[in-house]
Amino acid sequence: MEEISQALLSIIKMISNRRNNTFPILRLPFLAIEEIFKAMDPIEIINFSKTSKKAKTVTKAMVFHSKYVICVYIEKTLGISIKGTNNRVSCVYEMTSDKRMDGKTEKDKRNRFITRKVFKYSKDPVEEWKQLCEHVLEIFKKQSIDRLTMTMDAFVDHNVSIIDFLRTNVKSVDKCNLWHSEDENDVDEHAAYFLNNLKISNELYFYLKIKNYNFDGEIPKNLKELYLPNSHWIGYEKLLDIDCRHVVLTNNRIWEEEWNLFLKKWIAMETHLNLEYLELDYRQLDIFRSHVLHDIPHEVVHEGVKRILKTRFNLTLEINGGIDIRRIDGKTATFFVYRMFRMNRFAMNVH
């Protein structure tokens, strides 16, 4: 208590010295510095850490950085976002090619969410973005990125160097979004390089329109969410390679007889042991029953039977009826149709 009181007295004394226009934080006792850091937002912390080697060392000595969520994006511009408690406040550093925007700030408040953005002009935005990312990961003691969003055709000439940079500096990416800006652009090679060189640990939202049916990108294993809305390159063999808990495959090229073989393997516990939810293109239950389940033991559940089942994004919904099949270990898979975003969805829930 005495040490804290002395620290506060030191702060008050320095603030009271109005003839001094600077505030020498680094001369304060450590506990006082720590209290000041707690009042800073991430942009202030970053700016302070870049003032000197000692400032960087002091910043790295702080112990509360784990509360921050680090989001990196490569889109029309490159940036890094540091989100605070409950993701309600985001502080963003964004590279810009407009010299007039250098150092300018923007603040956007929507509902309960606040975004503070600082613009940094650069003649070489990719390299300066790399340096900024490396610095932020170091001072906030992060070995992983919480969210990575990459538009694969935005900085196409730099894709390989960006992926190599991330592979060198980041152990894993928790949540990843991969996009096109123009669907006709062919980014197959770079997308495969990305998947084969970066570890995605939790969620992958893969919006790319792959051109080559023999695409050799390795789909990450053990994901919580795998979302492939343009899965026309996913055939039966690639389906068997998927090992994730929640999977959405629309526009795939898997035939009904192949779905029949897949379900037989699932029943025999030869594939997809971790699967909890599978969503496909819409199809009628009675047609699916006659074309896919014709030689698989199943039970048509009466429409009057209501059950709470998980759907996409781990949401729950009350489902009437459905069709049940059972795995050899007693697990049940229920096929059902539900409506989301004004569209009918066909799903399989394992429970």
Side-chain angles (χ1 to χ4, degrees):
M1 288 297 295
E2 183 178 350
E3 188 177 355
I4 294 175
S5 298
Q6 289 298 321
L8 292 175
L9 285 173
S10 297
I11 295 174
I12 292 170
K13 184 177 179 180
M14 290 181 185
I15 293 174
S16 298
N17 185 3
R18 302 184 185 279
R19 291 177 298 175
N20 189 352
N21 293 325
T22 63
F23 187 72
I25 294 177
L26 295 177
R27 296 182 188 175
L28 296 174
F30 182 81
L31 287 178
I33 297 174
E34 195 171 43
E35 291 302 315
I36 292 173
F37 265 80
K38 289 177 181 177
M40 289 180 175
D41 68 31
I43 288 178
E44 291 170 333
I45 293 173
I46 294 168
N47 289 341
F48 173 78
S49 70
K50 295 171 78 173
T51 57
S52 68
K53 289 183 178 180
K54 186 175 180 181
K56 183 178 179 182
T57 300
V58 169
T59 303
K60 291 169 63 177
M62 297 297 114
V63 296
F64 55 89
H65 295 358
S66 60
K67 71 178 183 179
Y68 293 117
V69 173
I70 306 296
C71 304
V72 169
Y73 60 90
I74 305 102
E75 298 172 328
K76 289 182 179 179
T77 56
L78 301 106
I80 185 166
S81 168
I82 303 98
K83 297 179 183 289
T85 307
N86 298 324
N87 290 337
R88 289 183 179 177
V89 178
S90 299
C91 294
V92 181
Y93 254 102
E94 184 170 296
M95 312 307 295
T96 177
S97 58
D98 186 348
K99 199 170 186 178
R100 296 169 299 176
M101 292 295 292
D102 189 35
K104 293 200 173 189
T105 62
E106 290 181 355
K107 184 175 180 180
D108 184 16
K109 186 174 182 180
R110 300 183 186 181
N111 298 323
R112 296 177 297 168
F113 298 93
I114 300 172
T115 301
R116 301 188 185 105
K117 183 180 290 187
V118 174
F119 293 91
K120 176 71 169 65
Y121 167 75
S122 176
K123 293 181 180 179
D124 192 351
V126 173
E127 286 307 312
E128 286 211 33
W129 172 84
K130 290 178 185 177
Q131 293 171 19
L132 175 62
C133 288
E134 190 173 359
H135 183 82
V136 168
L137 291 169
E138 183 180 2
I139 66 171
F140 288 108
K141 302 174 186 173
K142 293 284 188 176
Q143 295 182 325
S144 299
I145 293 175
D146 296 284
R147 183 179 294 276
L148 169 63
T149 300
M150 185 170 182
T151 302
M152 298 298 297
D153 53 349
F155 290 85
V156 65
D157 292 338
H158 299 276
N159 276 349
V160 172
S161 72
I162 288 172
I163 295 167
D164 287 343
F165 166 79
L166 293 171
R167 179 183 60 182
T168 302
N169 291 276
V170 175
K171 285 188 175 180
S172 65
V173 176
D174 187 51
K175 301 176 182 179
C176 181
N177 297 268
L178 296 180
W179 296 86
H180 268 115
S181 59
E182 300 292 339
D183 289 347
E184 62 270 17
N185 289 340
D186 187 342
V187 295
D188 289 16
E189 183 178 349
H190 288 165
Y193 190 72
F194 181 100
L195 292 177
N196 295 339
N197 285 278
L198 292 180
K199 176 179 172 55
I200 302 168
S201 57
N202 198 12
E203 298 178 10
L204 173 60
Y205 291 82
F206 193 88
Y207 296 94
L208 303 177
K209 288 195 173 179
I210 297 300
K211 306 294 186 294
N212 184 2
Y213 283 175
N214 295 315
F215 176 71
D216 61 352
E218 184 175 341
I219 299 174
K221 304 287 187 182
N222 301 314
L223 295 178
K224 180 181 176 182
E225 300 274 352
L226 175 63
Y227 182 59
L228 294 171
N230 305 308
S231 58
H232 51 275
W233 53 280
I234 298 290
Y236 179 68
E237 294 301 324
K238 284 190 173 67
L239 171 66
L240 296 181
D241 285 337
I242 294 173
D243 183 17
C244 302
R245 288 164 57 187
H246 289 231
V247 180
V248 176
L249 296 175
T250 54
N251 302 311
N252 62 76
R253 57 185 182 92
I254 302 169
W255 299 97
E256 290 174 332
E257 55 266 31
E258 292 173 328
W259 282 117
N260 176 274
L261 292 174
F262 166 77
L263 292 176
K264 288 176 179 176
K265 283 183 173 292
W266 178 83
I267 289 170
M269 297 184 67
E270 295 175 3
T271 191
H272 284 65
L273 299 184
N274 296 321
L275 184 65
E276 296 178 4
Y277 176 79
L278 174 64
E279 184 179 306
L280 307 174
D281 301 284
Y282 170 69
R283 59 203 72 192
Q284 294 180 0
L285 279 176
D286 56 348
I287 294 177
F288 179 78
R289 180 190 179 194
S290 61
H291 289 195
V292 176
L293 301 179
H294 54 87
D295 61 350
I296 295 176
H298 60 274
E299 177 187 355
V300 178
V301 181
H302 191 273
E303 284 289 318
V305 176
K306 300 180 184 294
R307 291 178 287 182
I308 303 297
L309 298 177
K310 285 186 178 181
T311 60
R312 193 194 295 190
F313 309 125
N314 215 28
L315 300 175
T316 57
L317 190 68
E318 186 177 77
I319 302 298
N320 295 340
I323 300 175
D324 288 356
I325 63 173
R326 286 181 175 79
R327 203 163 65 182
I328 59 174
D329 65 346
K331 286 274 189 180
T332 297
T334 297
F335 300 97
F336 60 96
V337 173
Y338 76 105
R339 194 166 181 81
M340 174 183 275
F341 304 137
R342 299 183 180 181
M343 292 183 64
N344 287 328
R345 315 280 177 173
F346 179 87
M348 166 184 168
N349 174 279
V350 180
H351 53 99

